[in-house]
């Protein structure tokens, strides 16, 4: 059935129980469900939202269209965790049910204030001429999960912005609350605007100015900006849509990038001594990464392993999208490192020496060691002919290449089937997570990262060492395990 505008924006209450049950039945037929990565209960999962700590639990929402693999009328579905690995869905919490979010509860952030979690998000509204009106609005969630929406616009569309103005992120810097919002100016160039909470009142925001992060002004829109702090250093994560590839080359339809500053000057809306632009992820899918500073100071991040305007093989089963593992961000030698939180080790159910395997459950972790001046290739999700997900570690020429051209059902081929990144010729480690239709590869404990989706054929479940001599450990992972 065609996803017309009318069908995409059909009110939730108009969907019948029979239709919903048919969606669930179809989704259950998919061979590609993940085991330890978050998936939607039904329909579409895209941006991570409201990542926070509240009432003794980690809270994470996902932007959701519950009725199929389409970008339609969006809501927020809530997840809770006590270890950042095991997430329990507690239902749809932010519905598009007021005049300020009538055409979708779009992306945003969250922070605890008193006994409530403040949810700061974009209300998407279309008028009778289908002109978009983006409102930065809010809601409060109490400890019982009850949502009370704040009945006013917190930040309106600026006069110097188009209707592309969204994704507010609230953060605390030295006791003062700030927020940044991504936008597009009247010259169709992307910007990030900094706001200050007057008297630390989350319902009263005052513009400070456009964030100075050495914006090259080649992108036409800045989506999903996040400012977090690793120690005293500000890190801006953002998605510069339309970024000129002469600034930094990338292969995906839209990139997810970052810059590191030496310090943050909020009065002048400036990141001081900002670094060069860097690619957050060298894989096929990582977008809309959301990060926040936890109460203990750690910078935690999670990414949508999907991209706008891309269709996936799972679409025919009425669902799409998954999240990355939760990663901790650190800075080492001026580089941003991303690595899964330590609790991921609690999933390890068995441990064996890394070797060829004719068959696996496709739910495992590898810890590999690669010697300097070595060249090796492994194939994961391999069939008997050796076709699968190829990972080539060429330390002699300083490059890692991931090739999914022979891994299951192909899609998005117009954006290429291989991804590469440079690495130094030295002793190197690779930590790899496979979860049926997801791979995440962390080189040197997160110095470089490849993330992506694959949709393997039924017989693609082996491991093949095609060349070289990588050594290491194979861990079978069991999501049902909790050792704490």
């Amino acid at each position: 059935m065609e996803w017309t505008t009318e069908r995409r924006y059909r009110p939730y209450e108009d969907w019948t129980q029979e239709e919903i049950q048919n969606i669930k039945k179809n989704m259950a037929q998919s061979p590609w469900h993940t085991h330890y990565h978050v998936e939607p209960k039904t329909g579409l999962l895209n941006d991570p939202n409201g990542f926070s700590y509240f009432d003794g639990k980690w809270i994470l929402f996902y932007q959701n269209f519950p009725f199929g693999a389409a970008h339609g009328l969006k809501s927020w579905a809530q997840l809770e965790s006590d270890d950042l690995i095991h997430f329990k869905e507690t239902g749809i919490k932010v519905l598009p049910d007021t005049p300020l979010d009538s055409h979708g509860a779009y992306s945003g952030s969250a922070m605890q204030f008193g006994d409530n979690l403040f949810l700061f998000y974009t209300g998407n509204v279309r008028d009778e001429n289908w002109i978009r009106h983006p409102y930065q609005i809010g809601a409060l969630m109490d400890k019982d999960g009850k949502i009370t929406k704040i009945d006013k616009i917190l930040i309106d569309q600026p006069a110097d912005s188009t209707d592309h103005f969204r994704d507010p992120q609230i953060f605390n810097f030295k006791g003062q609350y700030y927020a940044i919002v991504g936008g597009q100016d009247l010259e169709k160039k992307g910007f990030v605007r900094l706001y200050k909470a007057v008297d630390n009142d989350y319902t009263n925001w005052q513009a400070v100015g456009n964030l100075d992060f050495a914006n090259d002004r080649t992108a036409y829109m800045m989506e999903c900006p996040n400012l977090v702090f690793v120690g005293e250093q500000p890190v801006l994560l953002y998605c510069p849509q339309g970024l000129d590839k002469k600034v930094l080359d990338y292969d995906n339809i839209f990139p997810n990038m970052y810059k590191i500053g030496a310090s943050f000057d909020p009065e002048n809306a400036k990141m001081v001594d900002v670094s060069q632009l860097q690619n957050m992820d060298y894989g096929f899918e990582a977008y809309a990464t959301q990060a926040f500073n936890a109460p203990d100071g750690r910078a935690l991040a999670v990414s949508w392993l999907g991209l706008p305007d891309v269709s996936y093989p799972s679409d025919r089963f009425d669902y799409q999208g998954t999240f990355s593992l939760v990663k901790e961000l650190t800075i080492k030698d001026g580089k941003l490192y991303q690595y899964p939180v330590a609790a991921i080790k609690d999933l390890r159910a068995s441990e064996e020496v890394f070797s060829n395997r004719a068959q696996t459950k496709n739910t495992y972790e590898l810890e590999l060691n690669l010697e300097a001046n070595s060249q090796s290739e492994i194939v994961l999700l391999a069939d008997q002919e050796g076709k699968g997900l190829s990972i080539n570690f060429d330390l002699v020429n300083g490059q890692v290449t991931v090739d999914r051209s022979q891994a299951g059902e192909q899609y998005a081929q117009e954006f290429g089937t291989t991804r590469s990144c440079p690495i130094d010729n030295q002793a190197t480690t690779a930590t790899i997570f496979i979860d049926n239709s997801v791979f995440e590869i962390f080189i040197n404990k997160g110095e470089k990262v490849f993330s992506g989706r694959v949709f393997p054929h039924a017989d693609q479940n082996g491991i093949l060492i095609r060349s070289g001599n990588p050594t290491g450990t194979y861990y079978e992972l069991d999501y049902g395990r909790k050792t704490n």
Side-chain angles (χ1 to χ4, degrees):
M1 192 179 298
E2 183 184 356
W3 281 105
T4 62
T5 298
E6 182 180 15
R7 187 167 177 240
R8 289 174 190 267
Y9 287 89
R10 182 180 170 190
Y12 280 29
E13 60 269 21
D14 287 358
W15 291 84
T16 66
Q17 283 302 310
E18 182 181 5
E19 288 174 308
I20 293 168
Q21 287 305 313
N22 286 337
I23 291 167
K24 290 180 178 179
K25 286 179 183 177
N26 191 31
M27 187 173 171
Q29 301 304 309
S30 170
W32 297 308
H33 287 298
T34 62
H35 296 272
Y36 56 94
H37 285 77
V38 171
E39 283 187 334
K41 190 172 183 180
T42 60
L44 177 88
L45 170 154
N46 61 314
D47 297 6
N49 294 154
F51 195 13
S52 53
Y53 188 78
F54 174 60
D55 192 26
K57 296 183 288 289
W58 302 103
I59 303 296
L60 178 61
F61 298 84
Y62 64 86
Q63 196 165 294
N64 181 219
F65 176 66
F67 307 109
H71 290 268
L73 187 58
K74 301 286 182 68
S75 55
W76 283 21
Q78 186 192 349
L79 305 161
E80 291 183 354
S81 176
D82 59 12
D83 63 359
L84 294 169
I85 298 296
H86 296 84
F87 283 93
K88 175 185 176 183
E89 183 161 332
T90 60
I92 294 176
K93 291 298 176 74
V94 184
L95 286 161
D97 58 2
T98 75
L100 295 179
D101 58 12
S102 58
H103 289 72
Y106 278 23
S107 290
S109 54
M111 182 169 285
Q112 182 169 348
F113 284 87
D115 291 332
N116 293 301
L117 186 67
F118 170 59
L119 310 179
F120 200 6
Y121 67 101
T122 300
N124 184 42
V125 176
R126 299 275 189 170
D127 63 22
E128 62 273 10
N129 298 313
W130 206 246
I131 295 172
R132 188 204 324 263
H133 301 276
Y135 302 126
Q136 312 315 311
I137 56 178
L140 297 174
M141 185 176 80
D142 68 18
K143 293 181 179 180
D144 295 324
K146 180 184 176 184
I147 298 287
T148 303
K149 293 190 176 179
I150 298 169
D151 189 22
K152 71 171 186 176
I153 299 168
L154 303 183
I155 300 176
D156 211 342
Q157 178 184 332
D160 61 349
S161 168
T162 71
D163 61 359
H164 291 287
F165 183 69
R166 56 183 174 267
D167 310 335
Q169 187 231 354
I170 185 172
F171 63 95
N172 183 326
F173 181 70
K174 296 186 176 179
Q176 172 65 50
Y177 293 102
Y178 296 91
I180 53 174
V181 185
Q184 178 190 73
D185 66 23
L186 298 180
E187 296 179 4
K188 304 292 178 69
K189 301 294 185 181
F191 68 89
V192 176
R193 186 150 297 172
L194 178 69
Y195 291 84
K196 178 179 180 178
V198 178
D199 297 325
N200 272 342
D201 176 1
Y202 56 79
T203 69
N204 188 2
W205 295 92
Q206 181 182 74
V208 180
N210 284 354
L211 183 66
D212 180 356
F213 59 97
N215 183 1
D216 56 78
R217 288 187 61 77
T218 66
Y220 62 75
M221 172 62 190
M222 300 303 190
E223 281 204 318
C224 306
N226 281 242
L227 192 62
V228 292
F229 296 87
V230 180
E232 292 292 312
Q233 291 190 261
V235 181
L236 180 70
L237 318 176
Y238 64 109
C239 300
Q241 293 188 324
L243 178 76
D244 190 329
K245 294 185 180 182
K246 294 177 183 177
V247 176
L248 184 64
D249 198 20
Y250 59 94
D251 294 308
N252 295 341
I253 182 173
F254 297 124
N256 203 162
M257 303 288 190
Y258 75 86
K259 287 186 174 184
I260 301 172
S263 61
F264 177 53
D265 176 3
E267 290 186 4
N268 295 297
K270 181 180 177 66
M271 291 175 66
V272 179
D273 294 334
V274 71
S275 72
Q276 293 294 311
L277 185 64
Q278 299 291 332
N279 199 340
M280 277 205 75
D281 195 296
Y282 289 86
F284 299 90
E285 277 103 359
Y287 195 74
T289 299
Q290 181 158 104
F292 84 108
N293 283 107
D296 60 9
R298 286 181 298 165
L300 300 173
V302 63
S303 307
W304 169 33
L305 298 188
L307 284 166
D309 303 330
V310 171
S311 298
Y312 290 84
S314 63
D315 291 4
R316 67 177 182 267
F317 294 102
D318 289 325
Y319 79 106
Q320 183 192 117
T322 185
F323 281 164
S324 72
L325 297 171
V326 175
K327 300 161 283 191
E328 182 176 353
L329 306 181
T330 55
I331 295 174
K332 195 183 304 182
D333 299 327
K335 300 176 184 177
L336 186 70
Y337 280 66
Q338 311 165 63
Y339 201 68
V341 295
I344 189 66
K345 294 181 179 179
D346 292 344
L347 302 188
R348 293 174 177 175
S350 63
E351 175 181 339
E352 298 176 42
V353 172
F354 174 68
S355 62
N356 290 308
R357 301 177 75 90
Q359 190 171 353
T360 74
K361 295 178 181 178
N362 283 348
T363 54
Y364 57 82
E365 173 192 357
L366 302 176
E367 283 198 336
L368 302 183
N369 299 300
L370 308 151
E371 295 181 354
N373 299 307
S374 68
Q375 294 174 310
S376 55
E377 181 186 4
I378 63 173
V379 182
L380 309 180
L381 307 166
D383 60 21
Q384 290 185 344
E385 297 177 1
K387 295 178 179 179
L389 179 71
S390 164
I391 309 171
N392 191 301
F393 302 97
D394 184 354
L395 274 63
V396 174
N397 294 297
Q399 183 167 272
V400 176
T401 301
V402 179
D403 183 344
R404 69 177 182 189
S405 63
Q406 296 185 319
E409 290 199 20
Q410 297 297 295
Y411 66 97
Q413 290 172 290
E414 62 270 33
F415 303 109
T417 58
T418 64
R419 296 289 186 268
S420 298
C421 82
I423 58 169
D424 294 331
N425 184 358
Q426 60 186 21
T428 298
T429 65
T431 307
I432 303 172
F433 294 90
I434 295 292
D435 190 3
N436 199 17
S437 60
V438 172
F439 68 87
E440 296 188 69
I441 304 168
F442 300 89
I443 306 296
N444 292 329
K445 302 296 184 183
E447 177 186 358
K448 301 286 176 68
V449 181
F450 291 85
S451 304
R453 302 301 307 271
V454 281
F455 296 87
H457 300 306
D459 61 346
Q460 291 191 306
N461 51 24
I463 294 176
L464 171 66
I465 302 172
R466 180 166 281 163
S467 64
N469 186 35
T471 60
T473 307
Y474 168 94
Y475 300 96
E476 191 70 40
L477 300 186
D478 180 359
Y479 190 67
R481 284 178 58 84
K482 290 185 74 170
T483 60
N484 56 349

